[in-house]
Amino acid sequence: MKQIAIGNTAEVYDYEEGKILKLFKSGYLVEDIHREFNNSALVNKLGIPSPKAYEILSDVMNGRTGIVYEKIDGHDLLQEVMANIQNREYVEKRLETLAAIHKDFINQRSTEPISYKDYLNYFGAPDVDSLPDGEFLCHGDFHFGNLLHSTQNPEKIYVIDFMNLCHGPKEYDVARAYILLTEDNLGADIDPVIKNILLQAKQESGKFYLNKMGYILKDIEQFIPAIEFCRGKEMLF
């Protein structure tokens, strides 16, 4: 098999015609792989544009486990945004795309995936029990990098990566997306002047996104401390 991509938790290989194999690294928990497969199958069932999840393969390449997915030829929207980062009009159009797809996603109701509170509690986030419950589908990692623009069908954008899929209030997933848009993940070695410009652009993008989603910061602020706590833990993995 030919390797076509590599990430923190898995490598991606060409598999059969129209399929890829996401092969998880040794030591990755099998129950987490099954959860991702079940999450992907649920999203497929709900009709959300996403790569089809076909099957789980075990004992591949020295006992590793992987998921066979539909192969989507294309590139993520993050590449498009970064290539046009100085064109504010273009960036705002892509933020509108992000918001429109996210609205459709969180309008889905399902309590099949775990509760978002279980996810927050896994990382030991504070004051989780005081947060509201909800039964809406939450992606848990909604950002430009998880939107795949098909080259075969330029009008179609697929949502990917459902490891963090959960259910809860819509505002939780909006808060997660807002944090991902605005957080300082630029690195310490970047020029301070450039960093300040980029951070300001991130804040403007966050406000624009919230506006397109129909929310203001006050609507999501109760979720932000727990999410920021978890982000600090997530970055260690």
Side-chain angles (χ1 to χ4, degrees):
M1 292 185 294
K2 179 184 176 183
Q3 186 182 102
I4 56 176
I6 186 168
N8 291 332
T9 61
E11 300 155 358
V12 179
Y13 293 86
D14 266 325
Y15 187 56
E16 298 173 348
E17 182 69 26
K19 297 179 181 179
I20 56 96
L21 173 64
K22 182 178 180 180
L23 189 61
F24 292 86
K25 295 182 178 179
S26 297
Y28 198 83
L29 294 177
V30 173
E31 54 262 41
D32 288 343
I33 297 172
H34 279 262
R35 185 172 74 250
E36 177 174 333
F37 177 81
N38 291 335
N39 289 343
S40 299
L42 170 62
V43 172
N44 294 163
K45 183 175 71 174
L46 292 172
I48 296 169
S50 57
K52 293 178 182 176
Y54 291 111
E55 61 179 320
I56 295 175
L57 295 183
S58 302
D59 297 323
V60 182
M61 293 186 186
N62 300 316
R64 294 160 66 187
T65 302
I67 301 175
V68 178
Y69 282 108
E70 175 187 8
K71 183 177 182 179
I72 306 296
D73 290 317
H75 53 271
D76 61 57
L77 263 60
L78 182 60
Q79 295 180 49
E80 295 183 12
V81 170
M82 293 307 297
N84 296 275
I85 196 66
Q86 293 181 313
N87 184 339
R88 188 62 196 174
E89 182 179 354
Y90 181 91
V91 173
E92 288 185 353
K93 284 183 178 179
R94 276 302 179 220
L95 284 166
E96 289 178 352
T97 301
L98 181 80
I101 297 172
H102 201 188
K103 278 184 182 179
D104 288 342
F105 196 98
I106 61 176
N107 277 334
Q108 299 279 349
R109 291 178 182 266
S110 177
T111 56
E112 284 190 40
I114 65 169
S115 166
Y116 84 106
K117 289 186 177 182
D118 291 337
Y119 181 85
L120 296 176
N121 280 323
Y122 175 81
F123 287 98
D127 302 320
V128 172
D129 290 342
S130 65
L131 296 173
D133 295 312
E135 57 182 24
F136 292 96
L137 196 66
C138 298
H139 183 279
D141 198 26
F142 203 89
H143 57 78
F144 284 125
N146 281 332
L147 296 179
L148 194 61
H149 201 164
S150 169
T151 53
Q152 296 169 318
N153 184 356
E155 301 301 315
K156 193 162 189 178
I157 296 176
Y158 293 83
V159 185
I160 62 172
D161 192 0
F162 303 110
M163 179 56 74
N164 294 344
L165 194 77
C166 56
H167 73 270
K170 294 179 182 181
E171 291 82 0
Y172 164 73
D173 216 36
V174 173
R176 280 279 309 195
Y178 173 81
I179 293 297
L180 293 170
L181 275 170
T182 60
E183 68 184 352
D184 180 0
N185 57 357
L186 300 173
D189 55 348
I190 190 171
D191 180 271
V193 175
I194 295 175
K195 184 173 185 177
N196 186 59
I197 293 171
L198 290 175
L199 286 175
Q200 185 176 349
K202 278 174 163 279
Q203 292 298 321
E204 290 175 359
S205 293
K207 290 178 182 176
F208 188 89
Y209 159 79
L210 279 183
N211 178 263
K212 292 300 175 182
M213 292 296 292
Y215 293 96
I216 60 175
L217 191 57
K218 186 177 180 179
D219 296 327
I220 63 170
E221 61 185 3
Q222 65 179 321
F223 302 97
I224 289 178
I227 293 170
E228 288 183 334
F229 179 91
C230 289
R231 286 296 294 158
K233 301 287 186 179
E234 290 165 7
M235 300 301 283
L236 298 176
F237 285 83

